[in-house]
Amino acid sequence: MNSLLAPYRAAVPVAFESSWESPANIAFVKYWGKKGHQLPANPSVSMTLKECKTSTKTKFSLSNNLTVELKLDGQKNERFAQKIKSYLEGLQTELPWISNLSVEIETANTFPHGTGIASSASGLSAFVLTFVDYLKHLNPEGDHALFLKRASYLSRLASGSACRSIYGGFVAWGDSAQVETSDLYASPVDVHADLASLQDTVLVVSGKEKNVSSRAGHGLMGDHPFALSRFAQANANFSQCISALKSGDIEALGKILETEALSLHAMMLTSSTPYILLKPNTLAAIDAIWDFRRETKLPLYFTLDAGPNLHLIYPEEFKSKIFTFITHELSALSEQIIDDKVGTGPRKC
Ligand code: PMV
């Protein structure tokens, strides 16, 4: 049994209610490919966002068997309820009393629905935080640092990238030689003061739900012809990214951001079942960003998640010029612009 869950094995469930808010995060070095049970094939590092987040209220009560009801923005959602149910069933070997819980979840995203921003990191970490709060209610052992480690461990089991949303600022996940990190949970990374208020303006090129899930994408790395080179590249980029974050070298950081974004999508383009998530407007925006950077020498860089939307990353001190460029030149290529920045992490409400 995992030592993070051992104190709760023999807990006696009672009724309890908890509300948490948890943010999305954007990976600078991407987790793409798994090993074992929800363990990453390479280390990743991300920035936690401030405005894009999920608020979740969970009511735990007693029942003869495990039931889960979930409302997203006030509407019953069977698909997400089933996802949480399977997740909790997976924990039953270690926490057998879960089979006597009735779980009612009310959840809402603060970022507009259907913007194509990955909501699994914020959504699943927010639910897990309410669950870890419940564990704490059943047995209040341990300090806040252990609470967060447990929340990160349990979030990883729900969705890999969710484990990084437990901390604010910049967060690493996955065994590495350079910093003290683990495959089992994420840990915060200290960065140079110049990067402490980095901006992320999200260009929503398409808000349509993608037709290939991240789960399928991770799976395709299993027999991918370039998997080993990709993992080697990700390890090297992780190490360089941590150095750039610590030294405040925005140019070095920007280069890694863009390489990682394009490598992630190159993996999709070259898998045994190839697929393309980029849209013509994604490419048009990348061209415009490169032109802008060449002409102005301003540090504006992009990264991508597993979708067509661009995260535009730049230091706050250049915000007025860069934001003007984004609204004047790039808004015609997008359905929506979300003005976000680095955030401080989840909050109990
Ligand atoms: O956490 P998952 O299984 O949805 O995978 C996330 C993968 C990426 O968002 C593409 C990269 C990352 O590290 O967040």
Side-chain angles (χ1 to χ4, degrees), residues 25 27 29-32 34 44 120 159-162 164 214 218 264 305-306:
N25 69 74
V29 174
K30 315 291 179 184
Y31 147 60
W32 199 241
K34 303 185 197 207
S44 58
S120 69
S159 163
S161 59
R164 297 185 310 239
S214 287
H218 287 293
L264 170 70
D305 216 326

Side-chain angles (χ1 to χ4, degrees), residues 1 4 19 23 28 47 74 94 102 112 115 123 162 169 201 285 299 311:
M1 155 161 256
L4 286 169
S19 295
F28 284 9
M47 178 170 104
E94 304 205 57
S102 157
T115 47
T201 303
H311 289 251

Side-chain angles (χ1 to χ4, degrees), residues 5 14 30 43 52 86 102 104 107-108 133 145 200 272 322 329:
L5 297 183
V14 294
K30 315 291 179 184
C52 294
S86 310
S102 157
E104 279 172 65
T107 189
D133 206 18
D200 177 4
S272 57
I322 290 180
E329 307 295 328

